[in-house]
Amino acid sequence: MAKRDGNDWKPATKLVRGGTMRSQFGETSEAIFLTSGYAYDSAEQAARRMAGEEEGYVYSRYANPTVRMLENRLAMLEGSETCRVTASGMGAISTTMIAPLGQGARVVAASALFGSCRVICQTILPRYGVETEFVQGADLDAWKKALSRPADLVLIESPSNPLLEAVDIEAVAKLAHAAGAKLVVDNVFASPVLQRPLDLGADISVYSATKHMDGQGRVLAGAICGPSDWMEEHIDPWIRHTGPAPSPFNAWVVLKGLETLDLRVKQACSNAARIADSIAAHPKINAVRYPGRSDHPQYEVHKKQMSAGGTLVAFSVKGARAEAFRMLNALNLLDISNNLGDTKSLACHPASTTHRALNEEERASMGLDESWIRISVGLEDVEDIEADILGALDAM
Ligand SMILES: *Cc1c(COP(=O)(O)O)cnc(C)c1O
């Protein structure tokens, strides 16, 4: 099977063709190698492969050709030396957080994180002797203070979930490196189309491929993009022996999703920008957060590191949980769902769903109260999306 090299291709070309390996049949669409094992020509070859003395597949918990195509496509796109794909985004993030760290390690993380990432830092890592200090992501002085002591890993999300806060990736990367830490960026909300964390100085980017990469609400998958030596030392042994490997079928679905990622994300951004503006003008709104609007508190940071405003909009309704629920229940077109990055527009109430594992104090520390609604803008006609949201606000 010949692998196509195309490191000088533009991102949209990499998304369509990067990493493709053709079999002897010359198929144009990537093949699904739905196999758990591999047969050897001889017992000697089996021994060499298992000893790592000969290149080749040995077991799909370690590697699989369809999964490899996805990993190569993502590494090429992200500009990372290598990539590993996992069964879910949390599989990727938990592997990245747990595998390289041990007793006495120190993590510094932005307080506004995906709910499960907070749980890993707050509840799971401490059981293994790893402590996390949380800082306000937008506060560079707080980062300076927290990173004036040595640290091992820094975790940020930008834009963050659910309030679309910006963290200055370049500035935090410098501080993290001076403290001896690797910077990990959860780049799910921006997607690789809009933001390139490694170009901004991050060491590792992690993804839930469930979101924009599949983008059609079908499968779970995750990805870790980073340097080869770090991946081989820390991530490969963990993946081999603990088993977060993805199904080759799911990897194939994501490969197909990537082929339209550029188009989908750009169209969804254009829809989201218009929706943010029309929500902002509605009388039942307290505030809108959209990274592409100049009234976003960290607009300048977003503008510096993202090429468009993204596909998510958050807004606070006048009132609290009851009013937010009334708005959601009045939607006809949009689904109430905590997923995001889908072709279908989705709405959710973070305080009672994605961030319900946090207590009120923790939610308050990230500025999230019961009045906030998050919308993932999809690819329906923008006039239909707009009419549904404004109609629900009127009815609220
Ligand atoms: C969804 C999501 C994850 C987790 O991904 P799964 O594929 O659901 O495991 C992590 N981070 C962010 C920002 C997400 O939106």
Side-chain angles (χ1 to χ4, degrees):
M1 295 210 304
K3 189 179 147 223
R4 304 176 149 215
D5 191 9
N7 280 311
D8 54 347
W9 287 337
K10 300 274 189 289
T13 308
K14 290 176 177 171
L15 281 165
V16 175
R17 292 187 174 269
T20 296
M21 296 186 284
R22 264 184 193 149
S23 78
Q24 70 271 34
F25 300 116
E27 69 280 353
T28 50
S29 175
E30 292 71 10
I32 311 179
F33 291 93
L34 210 49
T35 182
S36 44
Y38 304 84
Y40 310 101
D41 292 338
S42 65
E44 289 78 6
Q45 185 183 46
R48 284 197 303 275
R49 289 256 183 102
M50 290 303 270
E53 294 161 8
E54 181 186 295
E55 285 273 314
Y57 296 95
V58 295
Y59 194 53
S60 287
R61 175 156 31 82
Y62 296 19
N64 167 280
T66 306
V67 176
R68 197 55 100 205
M69 287 192 258
L70 176 57
E71 291 171 341
N72 290 341
R73 185 169 295 178
L74 288 175
M76 211 182 214
L77 178 70
E78 197 71 0
S80 62
E81 285 176 10
T82 189
C83 167
R84 295 291 179 266
V85 168
T86 54
S88 70
M90 284 321 302
I93 299 170
S94 63
T95 297
T96 303
M97 301 292 292
I98 298 170
L101 303 181
Q103 187 73 36
R106 180 166 178 263
V107 173
V108 179
S111 57
L113 288 179
F114 185 71
S116 293
C117 298
R118 287 276 304 217
V119 174
I120 289 182
C121 292
Q122 271 176 313
T123 329
I124 298 177
L125 287 177
R127 296 212 299 260
Y128 303 95
V130 179
E131 291 305 326
T132 299
E133 180 178 342
F134 288 106
V135 304
Q136 295 295 332
D139 182 350
L140 272 185
D141 289 331
W143 284 110
K144 275 182 200 142
K145 194 159 159 252
L147 290 169
S148 61
R149 286 199 289 134
D152 299 282
L153 191 148
V154 173
L155 175 66
I156 62 172
E157 213 185 294
S158 187
S160 67
N161 184 24
L163 296 184
L164 312 174
E165 184 182 66
V167 180
D168 187 330
I169 299 174
E170 205 171 353
V172 173
K174 288 197 183 111
L175 295 169
H177 295 156
K182 292 239 185 297
L183 174 62
V184 179
V185 176
D186 179 339
N187 202 37
V188 168
F189 272 42
S191 93
V193 171
L194 304 182
Q195 181 168 271
R196 300 178 52 80
L198 303 193
D199 289 355
L200 295 163
D203 302 284
I204 296 135
S205 58
V206 287
Y207 286 97
S208 167
T210 315
K211 310 298 167 55
H212 301 91
M213 291 185 184
D214 168 27
Q216 289 148 86
R218 301 166 295 192
V219 300
L220 293 167
I224 309 167
C225 300
S228 302
D229 54 353
W230 176 85
M231 202 74 83
E232 283 157 24
E233 181 181 351
H234 299 292
I235 303 302
D236 286 349
W238 183 272
I239 286 180
R240 285 174 176 222
H241 304 301
T242 70
S247 154
F249 178 79
N250 290 0
W252 178 83
V253 171
V254 177
L255 270 168
K256 295 288 109 186
L258 288 181
E259 293 179 14
T260 55
L261 183 72
D262 193 71
L263 278 174
R264 285 187 288 105
V265 167
K266 285 175 180 163
Q267 182 60 46
C269 280
S270 137
N271 292 354
R274 169 155 159 190
I275 297 296
D277 289 343
S278 36
I279 292 174
H282 198 281
K284 290 191 180 157
I285 289 299
N286 276 327
V288 170
R289 288 281 176 84
Y290 183 64
R293 276 175 60 90
S294 57
D295 61 356
H296 189 291
Q298 293 103 39
Y299 172 68
E300 292 301 330
V301 179
H302 277 315
K303 204 168 107 183
K304 184 174 78 166
Q305 57 196 25
M306 264 171 97
S307 61
T311 66
L312 286 116
V313 180
F315 60 94
S316 155
V317 295
K318 287 189 175 143
R321 178 180 289 215
E323 289 72 20
F325 276 22
R326 272 209 293 281
M327 187 276 167
L328 288 172
N329 290 333
L331 291 165
N332 284 315
L333 177 71
L334 273 71
D335 295 304
I336 300 173
S337 173
N338 45 282
N339 199 8
L340 62 98
D342 198 296
T343 51
K344 295 186 171 66
S345 296
L346 307 172
C348 78
H349 181 250
S352 62
T353 59
T354 53
H355 290 68
R356 68 179 294 279
L358 307 183
N359 63 39
E360 207 160 324
E361 197 183 313
E362 288 159 356
R363 282 199 295 269
S365 79
M366 47 194 281
L368 176 66
D369 65 28
E370 297 272 349
S371 71
W372 285 93
I373 289 175
R374 184 194 81 189
I375 293 195
S376 168
V377 180
L379 297 180
E380 303 93 340
D381 190 300
V382 69
E383 289 182 16
D384 290 331
I385 306 172
E386 186 175 46
D388 196 41
I389 294 171
L390 298 183
L393 285 169
D394 290 340
M396 178 190 115

